Amino acid sequence: MSDSVELSTVDLRILRLLQNDARISNKDLAAEVGVAPSTCLDRVNRLRELGVITAQRAEVDAAKLGRPLEALLFVQVRPHRRALVDSFVEHLLALPEVRAVYHLTGPDDFLAHVATASATELQRLVLDELTARDEVARVHTNLVFQHWSGGPLLPPG
């Protein structure tokens, strides 16, 4: 069963524009896609109600907030059971250094993107918040030198 929804060409144009600039005014968005502002607002609200648009947020530069060291932490948990998975994810998401968490297949169970003030803080995070937990079997750390974000995500075809 698919969770996808039917989207018109206008909906797709709205999504493309909002993904590139979520601060665009409804008036400007409507003008760009060629519909009335009220129609545009109705379409955006429908996309939110359908769960196509899930959030609007500001992207921040971690270094400018005093966290210049970013890393990807590959974590293996044992045993890999729902109760442990759920509580582990809750724990990760409560840590202020964590930017994103992914549940994976393969040898590692989780990938956590983190940003810390220093290598010492990264070490504290790994030792005190991850490997100190009974369910954590292994943590593999990769430093991030640089990252880029992809463009708008639109349906295939």
Side-chain angles (χ1 to χ4, degrees):
M1 181 172 174
S2 174
D3 288 336
S4 65
V5 297
E6 281 289 320
L7 299 174
S8 71
T9 56
V10 172
D11 293 332
L12 293 174
R13 288 171 50 209
I14 288 170
L15 289 173
R16 184 183 315 276
L17 290 163
L18 285 175
Q19 285 182 88
N20 284 305
D21 181 8
R23 297 184 322 161
I24 189 171
S25 71
N26 184 62
K27 180 181 173 188
D28 291 342
L29 182 60
E32 286 284 332
V33 299
V35 297
S38 60
T39 301
C40 187
L41 186 59
D42 287 344
R43 285 180 177 264
V44 170
N45 287 335
R46 178 180 163 271
L47 291 168
R48 284 188 184 114
E49 289 167 9
L50 290 172
V52 176
I53 296 174
T54 59
Q56 288 178 244
R57 61 178 62 94
E59 288 188 29
V60 298
D61 183 330
K64 291 192 168 121
L65 295 178
R67 295 186 181 181
L69 184 65
E70 293 189 59
L72 300 174
L73 307 179
F74 294 87
V75 183
Q76 188 179 74
V77 298
R78 291 293 174 259
H80 193 181
R81 294 195 183 118
R82 176 151 317 272
L84 287 176
V85 166
D86 292 344
S87 67
F88 184 68
V89 170
E90 283 180 34
H91 175 73
L92 285 177
L93 292 175
L95 299 171
E97 299 89 354
V98 174
R99 302 196 68 183
V101 177
Y102 303 91
H103 193 187
L104 308 173
T105 64
D108 297 303
D109 300 310
F110 294 96
L111 169 62
H113 177 197
V114 301
T116 64
S118 65
T120 302
E121 278 299 304
L122 178 59
Q123 180 184 32
R124 182 208 57 77
L125 178 70
V126 171
L127 294 177
D128 296 346
E129 299 294 346
L130 297 176
T131 59
R133 294 179 64 92
D134 291 337
E135 72 269 28
V136 174
R138 183 175 65 84
V139 177
H140 176 90
T141 304
N142 287 16
L143 296 181
V144 175
F145 289 139
Q146 197 170 1
H147 73 276
W148 298 265
S149 295
L153 177 66
L154 295 174

